[in-house]
Amino acid sequence: MAYSDKVIDHYNNPRNVGSLDKSSPEVGTGLVGAPECGDVMKLQIKVNRETQVIEEAKFKTFGCGSAIASSSLATEWVKGKTVDEALSIKNTDIVRELSLPPVKIHCSVLAEDAIRAAIRDWKTKQEQTASKPVETKA
Amino acid sequence: MRAAHFCESCGKVQPPAPTDYFSYFGLPRKLNIDTAQLEREFYRLSRKLHPDLYARASEQEQEWSTERSSLLNDAYRTLRDPVARTEYLLKLEGVQLEEQSKAATDRARESGGEKKQVVPPELLEEVFELNMQLQELKLSKQMGEAADERVVRDLTAAKQGFEARLSGLDQRLQQTWAAWDERSGQRHEGDAESRKALEAMVEVLNTRSYIRNLVRDVNAALEA
Ligand code: FES
């Protein structure tokens, strides 16, 4: 199957590969998988709590070229966006940008799932810290 | 019902009719199949559809025989493989896994809710961690370092574990086949037992792809 130039570019020079500190309250982690093929993808974001802006994004994908390209692109796209803006990214946007063929649509779905899972994880952390009783010093 | 590949009275090849792979081979829609018998039937039909036999037939017949024989190859390849066969049955029964996954993502986007992963998060963790280990091993090999003995020992143990899980899953798959086949003949629209069997197949297959990859990747890493 022929990959598009954009997929090949992301595959050869993936942006933002790596990881962020999972336990940090500012970091949200999404780990998702595609049962169709058994590929897995981890995407992490670091969010500024004041501005809600995603300041950092990292990914690590064990999977096909399209999954790597989709997640690489996803990290590029979410950076600088607020969490709400990032939630509006659709897998079809990724398909269009990378010219993915129909058999590779699930790879882009995986990337959207990863963004959503990371944001959800971050939001859960925020709620937890918000609901924690404020420590009062005697 | 055996699909009519040839005319009963004159033996001429017939135009390809819309059919599924099971009926193409004259099989009921069951998952336990006699693969030796399937193979014999495949060879018998392949011989009868061989292009040489149609060298002097009409253009129409040549075309039909080519179409039939490519269908024959697809049908055989799908049915002889246990996993492909199960996936094919699911498709025939209207269980569209990829569609479902996409629809779940769409729903999560629209509602702001969560898309539940179809396998437990621990399995994804495990797959991810193992892949990290394998990658490290590969890197150190590329740097010309001798593989760490402890790592190799761990991986060999892990490999045995994965192989055992894979064969466990294959046994589970066979059980779902039995549950499905048992209903054959008395199946009615929306049969609950049949639905349950199909769902159980989906569940096994969802996990199986990950475990199969782990077996494959660990083997590749150990052999490299
Ligand atoms: S083939 Fe499955 S993620 Fe690309």
Side-chain angles (χ1 to χ4, degrees), chain A residues 34 37 39 64 66-67 104 106-107 110:
Chain A
C37 54
D39 292 343
C64 74
S66 301
K104 290 286 161 180
H106 77 269
C107 321
L110 195 57

Side-chain angles (χ1 to χ4, degrees), chain B residues 52-195:
Chain B
D52 286 357
L53 294 179
Y54 294 89
R56 274 191 255 168
S58 71
E59 221 168 276
Q60 181 72 95
E61 271 182 86
Q62 287 189 11
E63 209 177 283
W64 287 346
S65 68
T66 323
E67 276 176 42
R68 278 207 182 257
S69 74
S70 92
L71 194 61
L72 173 67
N73 285 313
D74 292 344
Y76 178 59
R77 235 175 295 144
T78 305
L79 292 188
R80 86 173 156 189
D81 177 70
V83 172
R85 180 160 77 236
T86 312
E87 286 172 342
Y88 182 69
L89 178 89
L90 287 169
K91 207 168 99 193
L92 282 184
E93 294 296 327
V95 185
Q96 305 276 21
L97 292 177
E98 207 174 323
E99 294 307 312
Q100 281 175 12
S101 164
K102 236 182 359 193
T105 299
D106 289 341
R107 271 199 305 280
R109 188 191 313 122
E110 272 147 35
S111 68
E114 181 183 5
K115 172 176 174 176
K116 239 175 98 57
Q117 291 288 306
V118 293
V119 296
E122 304 82 64
L123 176 63
L124 295 177
E125 269 318 323
E126 188 185 5
V127 173
F128 191 86
E129 285 314 316
L130 193 100
N131 271 297
M132 290 296 276
Q133 264 181 314
L134 292 179
Q135 196 171 53
E136 241 168 72
L137 182 73
K138 219 172 20 189
L139 274 180
S140 64
K141 278 189 182 169
Q142 275 168 7
M143 312 270 286
E145 287 165 28
D148 186 330
E149 252 177 62
R150 200 174 47 90
V151 176
V152 172
R153 217 174 332 128
D154 285 355
L155 283 177
T156 312
K159 174 187 135 149
Q160 283 160 359
F162 297 140
E163 279 168 348
R165 273 155 81 182
L166 192 60
S167 66
L169 285 168
D170 286 340
Q171 269 169 25
R172 284 261 302 120
L173 196 60
Q174 303 246 349
Q175 287 163 5
T176 67
W177 290 0
W180 169 261
D181 290 358
E182 219 171 80
R183 300 296 297 164
S184 166
Q186 48 191 335
R187 211 182 321 274
H188 51 86
E189 192 73 41
D191 183 42
E193 292 299 315
S194 301
R195 280 286 128 200

Side-chain angles (χ1 to χ4, degrees), chain A residues 17 29-30 38 40 54 56-57 69-70 93 95 102 105 107 130 136:
Chain A
V17 175
T29 301
V40 289
I54 299 174
E56 274 264 34
S70 297
D93 303 332
V95 170
I105 288 178
C107 321
T136 41

